[in-house]
Amino acid sequence: MSTTQNQTIPSIIDAEDLSIFYGNFRAVKNVFMKINPNKITAIIGPSGCGKSTVLRSFNRMNDFIPNCHVTGQITFQGHNIYADDVDPVQVRQRIGMVFQKPNPFPKSIFDNVAWGLRINGMKGDLSEPVEQALRQAALWDEVKDHLKKSGLSLSGGQQQRLCIARALAVKPDIILMDEPCSALDPIATLKIEDLMRELSKDYTIIIVTHNMQQAARASDYTAFFTMDSDRAGLMVEYGETSHIFTNPHDKRTEDYITGRYG
């Protein structure tokens, strides 16, 4: 595995010898990965290579999968998120998640965004933080006169931005995105990419994508994963996106990004 990442920047997430198991099957093996703050990191690779499994490990979403466990260590701002005394709910508050398919709740637009605030104990008038989150998600101008309408009434692209606003409302440090544009049309996809670039000024973003053009356009760093002979996912190469796409160290990376396999 090779890396061209700038090691002088303090990382916000650091995976050290991370392996992820489903029962006795090792789905991902021996990942070393440092995520830089306020950057967009893309994880690419063929289907089944563990991209989403790795992404979900960064905020312990894999805890919901029976018999899933990790070895190695993931630190967030220097703290091991899998330590016995760490509350995974607090981890997910600091490291939010946006899923592949938009999943607004069957509630009003306002209540969708306010949901995270309320479960975290905020009371009273939530109008200001809801508006702020919708503005950050570039959705406010489109919905400000329709906040009582169901979130399900929005278009696919709007629904995904609503889910981003819901994640932003609790003020996380990191936003994980698992193929957030795969169900969207090209115009909605470009809006999400523009939004990611704007959000990266204030947040760290990690995105799984199968779209090579999207990774090249939208990310600062790219990690390429593939599978070994035991069908375990492994990280082949990780570095600045411009380098990965123009001068990769490993032929497997070059073959994948040029469409020769995967």
Side-chain angles (χ1 to χ4, degrees):
M1 185 275 292
S2 61
T3 178
T4 59
Q5 189 202 22
N6 187 341
Q7 300 297 316
T8 64
I9 302 173
S11 57
I12 189 168
I13 282 186
D14 193 351
E16 292 280 351
D17 199 19
L18 173 68
S19 291
I20 306 171
F21 295 80
Y22 296 116
N24 293 323
F25 172 65
R26 182 156 68 166
V28 177
K29 65 188 296 186
N30 307 124
V31 174
F32 291 83
M33 192 175 186
K34 294 180 182 291
I35 303 293
N36 285 337
N38 297 106
K39 299 295 182 182
I40 301 172
T41 299
I43 301 176
I44 63 173
S47 296
C49 70
K51 303 184 298 295
S52 294
T53 295
V54 169
L55 189 75
R56 291 194 302 266
S57 72
F58 291 149
N59 73 343
R60 296 189 53 169
M61 289 294 291
N62 288 328
D63 288 11
F64 295 110
I65 301 174
N67 300 318
C68 183
H69 67 278
V70 305
T71 61
Q73 182 171 275
I74 298 175
T75 57
F76 165 60
Q77 297 180 334
H79 301 283
N80 179 10
I81 67 170
Y82 284 90
D84 291 340
D85 61 346
V86 171
D87 181 355
V89 174
Q90 292 184 348
V91 172
R92 294 178 202 119
Q93 182 179 343
R94 302 286 299 279
I95 307 174
M97 187 86 171
V98 176
F99 296 94
Q100 180 175 357
K101 184 178 179 181
N103 61 338
F105 302 136
K107 301 175 180 289
S108 70
I109 293 168
F110 184 95
D111 286 339
N112 263 275
V113 181
W115 178 81
L117 298 169
R118 288 173 175 148
I119 66 169
N120 281 287
M122 286 192 66
K123 295 180 170 49
D125 185 5
L126 301 180
S127 299
E128 186 174 334
V130 167
E131 177 179 342
Q132 182 182 18
L134 287 168
R135 286 188 182 277
Q136 285 186 299
L139 191 57
W140 174 252
D141 289 340
E142 297 169 44
V143 303
K144 61 184 178 183
D145 298 322
H146 311 287
L147 295 178
K148 293 183 179 180
K149 284 189 174 181
S150 171
L152 299 174
S153 69
L154 299 174
S155 69
Q158 289 174 323
Q159 287 187 18
Q160 193 64 296
R161 281 182 284 149
L162 179 64
C163 294
I164 292 171
R166 189 173 66 201
L168 292 173
V170 297
K171 299 188 179 304
D173 296 282
I174 298 173
I175 306 168
L176 309 177
M177 297 185 172
D178 192 355
E179 297 192 30
C181 302
S182 63
L184 305 181
D185 62 60
I187 293 175
T189 294
L190 287 174
K191 282 187 177 181
I192 297 293
E193 291 177 10
D194 289 343
L195 175 59
M196 286 193 298
R197 179 57 60 192
E198 185 65 25
L199 289 173
S200 68
K201 296 174 183 177
D202 299 306
Y203 302 92
T204 301
I205 297 174
I206 310 172
I207 178 173
V208 164
T209 180
H210 64 275
N211 184 324
M212 295 302 95
Q213 290 76 25
Q214 180 173 77
R217 283 192 304 260
S219 69
D220 302 293
Y221 294 91
T222 297
F224 169 59
F225 280 71
T226 189
M227 288 173 286
D228 68 6
S229 57
D230 295 322
R231 307 296 290 177
L234 73 158
M235 190 174 73
V236 173
E237 191 162 353
Y238 178 39
E240 293 183 8
T241 296
S242 58
H243 184 91
I244 295 292
F245 277 83
T246 60
N247 189 30
H249 287 300
D250 196 291
K251 189 175 186 303
R252 291 170 292 179
T253 310
E254 180 180 1
D255 286 347
Y256 183 76
I257 64 177
T258 55
R260 293 194 183 102
Y261 87 93

